[in-house]
Coordinates of all heavy atoms in Angstrom, one line a residue:
M1 N 8.8 2.3 10.0 CA 7.5 1.7 10.0 C 6.7 2.1 11.3 O 5.6 2.5 11.2 CB 7.5 0.2 9.9 CG 6.2 -0.5 9.8 SD 5.4 -0.3 8.3 CE 6.1 -1.6 7.4
E2 N 7.4 2.1 12.4 CA 6.8 2.4 13.7 C 6.3 3.9 13.7 O 5.3 4.2 14.2 CB 7.7 2.2 14.9 CG 8.0 0.7 15.1 CD 9.0 0.5 16.2 OE1 9.4 1.4 16.9 OE2 9.4 -0.7 16.4
V3 N 7.2 4.8 13.1 CA 6.8 6.2 13.1 C 5.6 6.4 12.2 O 4.7 7.1 12.5 CB 8.0 7.0 12.5 CG1 7.6 8.5 12.3 CG2 9.1 7.0 13.5
C4 N 5.5 5.7 11.1 CA 4.4 5.8 10.2 C 3.1 5.4 10.9 O 2.1 6.1 10.8 CB 4.6 5.0 8.9 SG 5.8 5.7 7.8
I5 N 3.2 4.3 11.6 CA 2.0 3.8 12.3 C 1.6 4.7 13.4 O 0.4 4.9 13.6 CB 2.3 2.3 12.7 CG1 2.3 1.4 11.5 CG2 1.2 1.9 13.7 CD1 2.8 0.0 11.9
S6 N 2.5 5.2 14.2 CA 2.2 5.9 15.4 C 1.8 7.4 15.0 O 1.1 8.0 15.8 CB 3.3 5.9 16.4 OG 4.5 6.6 15.9
E7 N 2.3 7.9 14.0 CA 2.1 9.4 13.7 C 1.3 9.7 12.5 O 1.0 10.9 12.2 CB 3.5 10.1 13.6 CG 4.3 10.0 14.9 CD 5.6 10.7 14.8 OE1 5.8 11.6 13.9 OE2 6.5 10.4 15.7
H8 N 0.9 8.7 11.7 CA 0.2 8.9 10.5 C -1.0 7.9 10.3 O -0.9 6.8 10.9 CB 1.1 8.8 9.3 CG 2.3 9.7 9.3 ND1 2.1 11.1 9.0 CD2 3.5 9.5 9.7 CE1 3.3 11.6 9.1 NE2 4.2 10.8 9.5
E9 N -2.0 8.3 9.5 CA -3.0 7.4 9.2 C -2.5 6.7 7.9 O -2.3 7.3 6.9 CB -4.3 8.1 8.9 CG -5.4 7.1 8.5 CD -6.7 7.8 8.2 OE1 -6.8 9.1 8.2 OE2 -7.7 7.1 7.8
I10 N -2.5 5.4 7.9 CA -2.1 4.6 6.7 C -3.4 4.1 6.0 O -4.3 3.5 6.6 CB -1.3 3.4 7.1 CG1 0.0 3.8 7.8 CG2 -0.9 2.5 5.9 CD1 0.8 2.7 8.4
V11 N -3.5 4.5 4.8 CA -4.6 4.1 4.0 C -4.2 3.2 2.8 O -3.3 3.6 2.1 CB -5.3 5.4 3.4 CG1 -6.5 5.0 2.6 CG2 -5.8 6.3 4.6
L12 N -4.8 2.1 2.7 CA -4.4 1.1 1.7 C -5.6 0.6 1.0 O -6.7 0.6 1.5 CB -3.6 -0.1 2.3 CG -2.2 0.2 2.9 CD1 -1.7 -1.0 3.6 CD2 -1.3 0.7 1.9
S13 N -5.4 0.0 -0.2 CA -6.4 -0.9 -0.8 C -5.8 -2.3 -0.8 O -4.6 -2.5 -0.6 CB -6.7 -0.4 -2.2 OG -5.5 -0.6 -3.0
D14 N -6.6 -3.3 -1.0 CA -6.1 -4.6 -1.1 C -5.1 -4.8 -2.2 O -4.0 -5.4 -2.0 CB -7.3 -5.6 -1.3 CG -8.2 -5.8 -0.1 OD1 -7.7 -5.6 1.0 OD2 -9.4 -6.0 -0.3
D15 N -5.3 -4.2 -3.4 CA -4.4 -4.2 -4.5 C -3.0 -3.6 -4.1 O -2.0 -4.1 -4.4 CB -4.9 -3.5 -5.7 CG -6.0 -4.3 -6.4 OD1 -6.2 -5.6 -6.1 OD2 -6.8 -3.8 -7.2
L16 N -3.1 -2.5 -3.4 CA -1.9 -1.8 -3.1 C -1.1 -2.6 -2.0 O 0.2 -2.7 -2.2 CB -2.2 -0.4 -2.5 CG -1.0 0.5 -2.2 CD1 0.0 0.6 -3.3 CD2 -1.4 1.8 -1.7
L17 N -1.7 -3.2 -1.1 CA -1.0 -4.0 -0.1 C -0.4 -5.2 -0.8 O 0.8 -5.5 -0.6 CB -2.0 -4.5 1.0 CG -1.3 -5.4 2.0 CD1 -0.2 -4.7 2.7 CD2 -2.3 -5.9 3.0
D18 N -1.1 -5.8 -1.7 CA -0.5 -6.9 -2.5 C 0.7 -6.5 -3.3 O 1.7 -7.2 -3.3 CB -1.5 -7.5 -3.5 CG -2.7 -8.2 -2.8 OD1 -2.6 -8.6 -1.6 OD2 -3.7 -8.5 -3.5
E19 N 0.7 -5.3 -3.9 CA 1.8 -4.8 -4.6 C 3.0 -4.5 -3.7 O 4.2 -4.8 -4.0 CB 1.4 -3.5 -5.3 CG 2.6 -2.9 -6.1 CD 2.1 -1.7 -6.9 OE1 0.9 -1.4 -7.1 OE2 3.0 -0.9 -7.4
I20 N 2.7 -3.9 -2.5 CA 3.8 -3.7 -1.5 C 4.5 -5.0 -1.1 O 5.7 -5.1 -1.1 CB 3.2 -2.9 -0.3 CG1 2.8 -1.5 -0.7 CG2 4.2 -2.9 0.9 CD1 1.9 -0.8 0.4
L21 N 3.7 -5.9 -0.7 CA 4.2 -7.2 -0.3 C 5.0 -7.9 -1.4 O 6.1 -8.5 -1.1 CB 3.1 -8.1 0.3 CG 2.4 -7.5 1.5 CD1 1.3 -8.4 2.0 CD2 3.4 -7.2 2.7
R22 N 4.5 -7.9 -2.6 CA 5.1 -8.5 -3.7 C 6.5 -7.9 -4.0 O 7.5 -8.5 -4.2 CB 4.3 -8.4 -5.0 CG 4.9 -9.1 -6.2 CD 3.9 -9.0 -7.4 NE 3.5 -7.7 -7.8 CZ 2.3 -7.2 -7.6 NH1 1.3 -8.0 -7.0 NH2 2.0 -6.0 -7.9
N23 N 6.6 -6.5 -3.9 CA 7.8 -5.8 -4.1 C 8.8 -6.1 -3.0 O 10.0 -6.1 -3.2 CB 7.6 -4.3 -4.3 CG 7.0 -4.0 -5.7 OD1 7.3 -4.7 -6.6 ND2 6.2 -3.0 -5.7
L24 N 8.3 -6.2 -1.8 CA 9.2 -6.5 -0.7 C 9.9 -7.9 -0.9 O 11.1 -8.1 -0.6 CB 8.5 -6.5 0.7 CG 8.0 -5.1 1.2 CD1 7.2 -5.3 2.4 CD2 9.3 -4.2 1.5
R25 N 9.1 -8.8 -1.4 CA 9.6 -10.2 -1.7 C 10.6 -10.2 -2.9 O 11.7 -10.7 -2.8 CB 8.5 -11.2 -1.9 CG 7.9 -11.8 -0.7 CD 7.0 -12.9 -1.0 NE 5.9 -12.6 -2.0 CZ 4.7 -12.1 -1.6 NH1 4.5 -11.8 -0.3 NH2 3.8 -11.8 -2.5
L26 N 10.1 -9.6 -4.0 CA 10.8 -9.8 -5.3 C 11.9 -8.8 -5.5 O 13.0 -9.1 -6.0 CB 9.8 -9.8 -6.4 CG 8.7 -10.9 -6.4 CD1 7.8 -10.7 -7.5 CD2 9.4 -12.3 -6.4
K27 N 11.6 -7.5 -5.2 CA 12.6 -6.5 -5.5 C 13.6 -6.2 -4.4 O 14.8 -6.1 -4.6 CB 11.9 -5.1 -5.9 CG 11.2 -5.2 -7.2 CD 10.6 -3.8 -7.5 CE 9.9 -3.9 -8.9 NZ 9.4 -2.6 -9.3
I28 N 13.1 -6.2 -3.2 CA 13.9 -6.0 -2.0 C 14.5 -7.3 -1.4 O 15.5 -7.3 -0.7 CB 13.2 -5.1 -0.9 CG1 12.8 -3.8 -1.6 CG2 14.0 -4.9 0.3 CD1 12.0 -2.9 -0.7
K29 N 13.8 -8.4 -1.8 CA 14.2 -9.7 -1.4 C 14.3 -10.0 0.1 O 15.2 -10.6 0.6 CB 15.6 -10.1 -2.1 CG 15.6 -10.0 -3.6 CD 16.7 -10.6 -4.2 CE 16.8 -10.4 -5.7 NZ 15.7 -10.7 -6.5
L30 N 13.2 -9.5 0.8 CA 13.1 -9.8 2.2 C 12.7 -11.2 2.4 O 11.9 -11.7 1.5 CB 12.1 -8.8 2.8 CG 12.5 -7.4 3.0 CD1 11.3 -6.6 3.6 CD2 13.7 -7.2 3.9
P31 N 13.0 -11.8 3.5 CA 12.6 -13.2 3.7 C 11.0 -13.2 3.9 O 10.4 -12.2 4.4 CB 13.3 -13.5 5.1 CG 14.4 -12.6 5.2 CD 14.0 -11.3 4.4
A32 N 10.5 -14.3 3.5 CA 9.0 -14.5 3.5 C 8.4 -14.2 4.9 O 7.3 -13.5 5.0 CB 8.6 -15.9 3.1
K33 N 9.1 -14.6 6.0 CA 8.5 -14.4 7.3 C 8.4 -12.9 7.6 O 7.5 -12.4 8.2 CB 9.4 -15.1 8.4 CG 8.9 -15.0 9.8 CD 7.6 -15.6 10.0 CE 7.2 -15.6 11.4 NZ 5.8 -15.9 11.6
I34 N 9.4 -12.1 7.2 CA 9.4 -10.7 7.5 C 8.3 -10.0 6.7 O 7.6 -9.2 7.2 CB 10.8 -10.0 7.2 CG1 11.8 -10.5 8.2 CG2 10.7 -8.5 7.2 CD1 13.2 -10.1 8.0
V35 N 8.2 -10.4 5.4 CA 7.1 -9.9 4.6 C 5.7 -10.2 5.2 O 4.9 -9.4 5.2 CB 7.2 -10.4 3.1 CG1 6.0 -10.0 2.3 CG2 8.5 -9.9 2.5
D36 N 5.6 -11.4 5.7 CA 4.3 -11.8 6.3 C 4.0 -11.0 7.5 O 2.9 -10.5 7.8 CB 4.3 -13.3 6.7 CG 4.3 -14.2 5.5 OD1 4.0 -13.8 4.4 OD2 4.7 -15.4 5.7
N37 N 5.1 -10.7 8.3 CA 4.9 -9.9 9.5 C 4.5 -8.4 9.2 O 3.7 -7.8 9.8 CB 6.2 -9.8 10.4 CG 6.5 -11.2 11.1 OD1 5.6 -12.0 11.2 ND2 7.7 -11.4 11.5
I38 N 5.2 -7.9 8.1 CA 4.8 -6.6 7.7 C 3.4 -6.5 7.2 O 2.6 -5.6 7.5 CB 5.8 -6.1 6.6 CG1 7.2 -5.9 7.2 CG2 5.3 -4.8 5.8 CD1 8.3 -5.6 6.1
G39 N 2.9 -7.6 6.4 CA 1.6 -7.6 6.0 C 0.6 -7.7 7.1 O -0.4 -7.0 7.1
E40 N 0.9 -8.4 8.2 CA 0.0 -8.5 9.3 C -0.1 -7.2 10.0 O -1.1 -6.7 10.5 CB 0.5 -9.6 10.3 CG 0.3 -11.0 9.8 CD 0.9 -12.0 10.7 OE1 1.3 -11.7 11.8 OE2 1.1 -13.2 10.2
L41 N 1.1 -6.5 10.2 CA 1.2 -5.2 10.8 C 0.3 -4.2 10.1 O -0.4 -3.4 10.7 CB 2.6 -4.8 10.9 CG 2.9 -3.5 11.7 CD1 2.6 -3.8 13.2 CD2 4.4 -3.1 11.6
L42 N 0.5 -4.2 8.8 CA -0.3 -3.2 8.0 C -1.8 -3.5 8.0 O -2.6 -2.6 8.1 CB 0.2 -3.2 6.5 CG 1.6 -2.6 6.3 CD1 2.1 -2.8 4.9 CD2 1.5 -1.1 6.6
H43 N -2.2 -4.8 8.0 CA -3.6 -5.1 8.1 C -4.2 -4.7 9.4 O -5.3 -4.2 9.5 CB -3.7 -6.7 8.0 CG -4.4 -7.1 6.7 ND1 -5.7 -6.8 6.4 CD2 -3.8 -7.7 5.7 CE1 -5.9 -7.3 5.3 NE2 -4.8 -7.9 4.8
E44 N -3.4 -4.7 10.5 CA -3.9 -4.3 11.8 C -4.0 -2.8 12.0 O -4.9 -2.3 12.7 CB -2.9 -4.8 12.9 CG -2.9 -6.3 13.1 CD -1.9 -6.7 14.1 OE1 -1.4 -5.9 14.9 OE2 -1.5 -7.9 14.1
H45 N -3.1 -2.0 11.3 CA -3.0 -0.6 11.6 C -3.5 0.3 10.4 O -3.6 1.5 10.6 CB -1.6 -0.2 11.9 CG -1.2 -0.9 13.2 ND1 -1.6 -0.4 14.5 CD2 -0.4 -2.0 13.5 CE1 -1.1 -1.1 15.4 NE2 -0.4 -2.1 14.8
A46 N -3.8 -0.3 9.3 CA -4.2 0.5 8.1 C -5.7 0.6 7.9 O -6.4 -0.4 8.4 CB -3.5 0.0 6.8
S47 N -6.2 1.6 7.3 CA -7.6 1.7 6.9 C -7.6 1.2 5.5 O -6.8 1.6 4.6 CB -8.1 3.1 6.9 OG -8.0 3.6 8.3
F48 N -8.5 0.3 5.1 CA -8.6 -0.2 3.8 C -9.8 0.4 3.1 O -10.9 0.3 3.6 CB -8.7 -1.8 3.8 CG -7.4 -2.4 4.1 CD1 -6.9 -2.5 5.3 CD2 -6.7 -2.9 3.0 CE1 -5.7 -3.1 5.5 CE2 -5.4 -3.5 3.2 CZ -4.9 -3.6 4.5
L49 N -9.6 1.0 1.9 CA -10.6 1.6 1.2 C -10.5 1.2 -0.3 O -9.4 0.7 -0.7 CB -10.5 3.2 1.2 CG -10.5 3.8 2.6 CD1 -10.2 5.3 2.4 CD2 -11.9 3.7 3.2
A50 N -11.6 1.4 -1.0 CA -11.6 1.1 -2.5 C -11.2 2.5 -3.1 O -11.8 3.5 -2.8 CB -12.9 0.6 -3.0
P51 N -10.3 2.5 -4.1 CA -9.9 3.7 -4.8 C -11.1 4.2 -5.6 O -11.9 3.5 -6.1 CB -8.8 3.3 -5.7 CG -8.3 2.0 -5.2 CD -9.4 1.4 -4.5
V52 N -11.3 5.6 -5.6 CA -12.3 6.2 -6.4 C -11.8 6.1 -7.9 O -10.7 6.3 -8.2 CB -12.4 7.7 -6.0 CG1 -13.3 8.5 -7.0 CG2 -12.9 7.8 -4.6
P53 N -12.7 5.6 -8.8 CA -12.4 5.6 -10.2 C -12.1 7.0 -10.7 O -12.8 7.9 -10.5 CB -13.6 5.0 -10.9 CG -14.4 4.4 -9.8 CD -14.1 5.2 -8.5
L54 N -11.0 7.1 -11.4 CA -10.6 8.4 -12.0 C -10.3 8.2 -13.5 O -10.1 7.1 -14.0 CB -9.3 8.9 -11.4 CG -9.3 9.1 -9.9 CD1 -7.9 9.5 -9.3 CD2 -10.3 10.3 -9.6
A55 N -10.4 9.3 -14.2 CA -10.2 9.3 -15.7 C -8.7 8.8 -16.0 O -7.8 9.1 -15.2 CB -10.4 10.7 -16.3
S56 N -8.6 8.1 -17.1 CA -7.3 7.5 -17.4 C -6.2 8.5 -17.8 O -5.1 8.3 -17.7 CB -7.4 6.5 -18.5 OG -7.9 7.1 -19.7
D57 N -6.7 9.8 -18.1 CA -5.7 10.8 -18.4 C -5.4 11.7 -17.3 O -4.8 12.8 -17.4 CB -6.2 11.6 -19.6 CG -7.5 12.3 -19.3 OD1 -8.1 12.1 -18.3 OD2 -7.9 13.2 -20.2
I58 N -5.8 11.4 -16.1 CA -5.6 12.2 -14.9 C -4.1 12.3 -14.5 O -3.6 13.2 -13.8 CB -6.4 11.7 -13.7 CG1 -6.5 12.8 -12.6 CG2 -5.9 10.5 -13.1 CD1 -7.6 13.7 -12.7
C59 N -3.3 11.3 -14.9 CA -1.9 11.2 -14.5 C -1.1 10.6 -15.7 O -1.6 9.7 -16.4 CB -1.8 10.3 -13.3 SG -0.2 10.0 -12.7
R60 N 0.1 11.1 -15.8 CA 0.9 10.5 -16.9 C 1.4 9.1 -16.7 O 1.7 8.4 -17.7 CB 2.1 11.4 -17.2 CG 3.2 11.4 -16.1 CD 4.4 12.2 -16.5 NE 5.4 12.1 -15.4 CZ 5.6 13.1 -14.5 NH1 5.0 14.3 -14.6 NH2 6.5 12.9 -13.6
D61 N 1.4 8.6 -15.5 CA 1.7 7.2 -15.2 C 0.5 6.5 -14.8 O -0.1 6.6 -13.7 CB 2.7 7.2 -14.0 CG 3.2 5.7 -13.8 OD1 2.6 4.8 -14.3 OD2 4.2 5.6 -13.0
P62 N 0.0 5.6 -15.7 CA -1.3 4.9 -15.5 C -1.3 4.1 -14.2 O -2.3 3.8 -13.6 CB -1.5 4.1 -16.7 CG -0.4 4.3 -17.6 CD 0.6 5.3 -17.0
D63 N -0.1 3.6 -13.8 CA 0.0 2.8 -12.6 C -0.3 3.6 -11.3 O -0.6 3.1 -10.3 CB 1.4 2.1 -12.4 CG 1.6 1.1 -13.5 OD1 0.6 0.5 -14.0 OD2 2.8 0.9 -13.9
D64 N -0.2 4.9 -11.4 CA -0.4 5.8 -10.2 C -1.8 6.2 -10.1 O -2.2 6.8 -9.1 CB 0.5 7.0 -10.3 CG 2.0 6.7 -10.1 OD1 2.2 5.6 -9.5 OD2 2.8 7.5 -10.4
I65 N -2.7 5.9 -11.1 CA -4.1 6.4 -11.0 C -4.8 5.7 -9.8 O -5.5 6.4 -9.1 CB -4.8 6.1 -12.3 CG1 -4.2 6.9 -13.4 CG2 -6.3 6.3 -12.2 CD1 -4.7 6.6 -14.8
K66 N -4.5 4.5 -9.5 CA -5.1 3.8 -8.4 C -4.7 4.4 -7.0 O -5.4 4.5 -6.1 CB -4.9 2.3 -8.4 CG -3.5 1.9 -8.3 CD -3.3 0.4 -8.4 CE -1.8 0.1 -8.4 NZ -1.6 -1.3 -8.8
I67 N -3.4 4.9 -7.0 CA -2.9 5.6 -5.8 C -3.7 6.9 -5.6 O -4.1 7.3 -4.5 CB -1.4 5.9 -5.9 CG1 -0.6 4.6 -6.2 CG2 -0.9 6.6 -4.6 CD1 -0.7 3.6 -5.1
L68 N -3.8 7.7 -6.7 CA -4.6 8.9 -6.6 C -6.0 8.7 -6.2 O -6.6 9.4 -5.5 CB -4.5 9.7 -8.0 CG -3.1 10.2 -8.4 CD1 -3.1 10.7 -9.8 CD2 -2.6 11.2 -7.4
G69 N -6.6 7.6 -6.8 CA -8.0 7.3 -6.5 C -8.1 6.9 -5.0 O -9.1 7.2 -4.3
L70 N -7.1 6.3 -4.4 CA -7.1 6.0 -3.0 C -7.0 7.3 -2.2 O -7.7 7.4 -1.1 CB -6.0 5.0 -2.7 CG -5.9 4.4 -1.3 CD1 -7.2 3.6 -1.0 CD2 -4.7 3.5 -1.2
A71 N -6.2 8.2 -2.6 CA -6.0 9.5 -1.9 C -7.4 10.2 -1.9 O -7.8 10.8 -0.9 CB -4.9 10.3 -2.6
V72 N -8.1 10.2 -3.0 CA -9.4 10.9 -3.1 C -10.4 10.2 -2.2 O -11.1 10.8 -1.4 CB -9.9 10.9 -4.6 CG1 -11.3 11.4 -4.6 CG2 -9.0 11.8 -5.5
A73 N -10.4 8.9 -2.2 CA -11.3 8.1 -1.3 C -11.0 8.4 0.2 O -12.0 8.4 1.0 CB -11.1 6.6 -1.6
S74 N -9.8 8.7 0.5 CA -9.5 9.0 2.0 C -9.5 10.4 2.3 O -9.2 10.8 3.5 CB -8.1 8.4 2.3 OG -7.1 9.1 1.6
N75 N -9.9 11.3 1.3 CA -9.9 12.7 1.6 C -8.6 13.3 1.9 O -8.3 14.1 2.8 CB -10.9 13.1 2.6 CG -12.3 12.9 2.2 OD1 -12.7 13.1 1.0 ND2 -13.2 12.4 3.0

């Protein structure tokens, strides 16, 4: 996490952050306090953008369309 923050620009949307935190809690089963700390850290160091709307057939996985839209929004 430290390398990502120090060496890269982190770009998120509110929906993507919610998904990340939900997966940390439910799939990885991190304690709530750690998930909260990660959420705070990401809020402090990430740029938040709205994904660019893209055609539904742009990607074979419809769940990834919002990630691609976020990539387009951040150039």
Side-chain angles (χ1 to χ4, degrees):
M1 184 73 86
E2 290 175 11
V3 171
C4 287
I5 289 171
S6 66
E7 297 183 17
H8 301 281
E9 179 184 1
I10 299 173
V11 180
L12 296 171
S13 65
D14 289 328
D15 287 343
L16 183 55
L17 179 60
D18 290 344
E19 181 178 344
I20 291 167
L21 298 178
R22 182 176 56 253
N23 286 330
L24 290 174
R25 274 192 304 275
L26 300 177
K27 290 185 178 181
I28 299 178
K29 301 194 186 307
L30 289 178
K33 181 65 176 165
I34 292 175
V35 174
D36 291 344
N37 289 342
I38 291 170
E40 289 173 15
L41 189 66
L42 289 172
H43 252 291
E44 290 174 19
H45 296 282
S47 300
F48 282 81
L49 300 173
V52 170
L54 299 174
S56 61
D57 63 349
I58 195 91
C59 179
R60 68 175 182 253
D61 185 345
D63 292 333
D64 289 341
I65 295 172
K66 62 185 175 189
I67 305 294
L68 295 173
L70 189 57
V72 171
S74 66
N75 291 320

